[in-house]
Amino acid sequence: MGQKVHPIGFRVGLNGSWLSKWYAPSKEFGTVLLEDIKIRDAVKKKLFFCGVSRVRIERVTDRIRVTIATARPGLVIGRGGGEVDKLRDEIHKMTGREVYIDIEEVKRPETDAQLVAEGVAQQLEKRASFKRVIKRTAQTAMDFGAEGVRIKISGRLGGAEIARSEQVRIGKLPLHTLRADIDYGFAEARTTYGCIGCKVWICRGTERTELEAPAGRRGGREGGRQPRRTREE
């Protein structure tokens, strides 16, 4: 049996941090965790067409700060901040706590794995050709600066009787390299003939360490080489 590791959870503390930041006693932990799940579900359901990539939740005593990373901040905020106020009131009724909402813009949604996965799922729901969709989406991510892309879809592809998997991979995707910035996203396409799962891995670069620096730059002036002496010296 294959041993699978979540690419983002594998790198927590190196390339990112937890999406929930709080502490709760053991008796209250389950209640608070369920609250987080309900908040995320409510935000995703209400703002599904606004391209919500991730929802970060921070708690201090009875206050909750919800940070929403979205590709369309204008739609989330609404005219005069009306939409944000409605969302704040909904979360307040749900939790009974003081709520603050921050909006964060996703600069390049084409290289955000969660948004790419949701985009593929939406196209599959519209009965687009699955092979064309995953190839075009992967190439678009590469054009916008990704170093590697892998898209895998599984289910009754094209309405076939037997479920199967299709995938496309372009560029490099060093999943075992901890310092590699690997983004991962998952979405489901609810089609008339069944549910199709879509997984996306995107490599957005690798940090270089001092040990990997070019040999000519490791020490001393001009790569550690001493200047050549002439006969006059």
Side-chain angles (χ1 to χ4, degrees):
M1 180 183 289
Q3 305 298 314
K4 306 296 187 296
V5 177
H6 197 286
I8 296 175
F10 192 44
R11 293 169 175 82
V12 167
L14 293 171
N15 293 336
S17 184
W18 301 102
L19 291 179
S20 292
K21 292 183 178 179
W22 45 264
Y23 171 79
S26 57
K27 291 181 180 179
E28 300 175 12
F29 183 84
T31 306
V32 178
L33 179 63
L34 187 60
E35 249 183 34
D36 277 14
I37 295 171
K38 287 181 179 178
I39 289 171
R40 287 200 171 90
D41 289 345
V43 170
K44 290 291 286 185
K45 187 176 180 180
K46 185 176 177 63
L47 306 175
F48 182 75
F49 294 103
C50 298
V52 175
S53 172
R54 66 194 72 86
V55 180
R56 290 198 297 273
I57 300 173
E58 298 176 34
R59 294 171 182 267
V60 180
T61 61
D62 281 340
R63 289 175 293 175
I64 303 175
R65 182 172 296 277
V66 181
T67 305
I68 302 171
T70 174
R72 299 176 180 175
L75 289 177
V76 176
I77 296 169
R79 184 173 295 177
E83 295 299 323
V84 170
D85 293 338
K86 290 178 184 176
L87 183 60
R88 185 187 298 112
D89 293 340
E90 282 185 22
I91 297 174
H92 174 68
K93 288 178 183 177
M94 190 189 306
T95 61
R97 304 172 193 265
E98 191 177 352
V99 179
Y100 299 91
I101 295 181
D102 294 334
I103 307 299
E104 188 179 283
E105 183 181 4
V106 177
K107 299 292 184 183
R108 288 189 295 178
E110 292 82 7
T111 59
D112 189 286
Q114 183 60 36
L115 297 182
V116 170
E118 289 177 6
V120 171
Q122 287 178 23
Q123 293 180 69
L124 293 177
E125 286 176 354
K126 296 176 182 176
R127 301 190 179 185
S129 171
F130 62 90
K131 284 187 179 179
R132 192 180 306 157
V133 166
I134 60 176
K135 285 181 181 178
R136 184 174 61 227
T137 306
Q139 191 57 54
T140 302
M142 293 295 291
D143 294 342
F144 275 85
E147 292 191 4
V149 183
R150 180 185 171 196
I151 301 175
K152 182 177 182 179
I153 54 177
S154 301
R156 292 184 59 188
L157 304 178
E161 289 295 322
I162 300 175
R164 60 195 175 97
S165 298
E166 283 282 341
Q167 70 174 347
V168 61
R169 180 169 178 168
I170 306 175
K172 62 177 184 178
L173 213 66
L175 296 180
H176 288 258
T177 306
L178 282 173
R179 64 184 179 278
D181 185 8
I182 305 290
D183 195 17
Y184 172 76
F186 172 76
E188 291 180 342
R190 307 280 179 172
T191 64
T192 55
Y193 39 80
C195 184
I196 296 176
C198 176
K199 296 180 179 180
V200 176
W201 296 259
I202 295 179
C203 177
R204 296 187 290 202
T206 305
E207 297 177 5
R208 299 181 67 182
T209 63
E210 292 182 5
L211 295 175
E212 292 178 330
R217 305 213 172 204
R218 277 191 195 162
R221 193 173 54 189
E222 297 291 333
R225 294 182 183 177
Q226 297 296 328
R228 235 173 155 182
R229 294 190 176 182
T230 60
R231 290 184 180 178
E232 292 146 359
E233 291 178 336

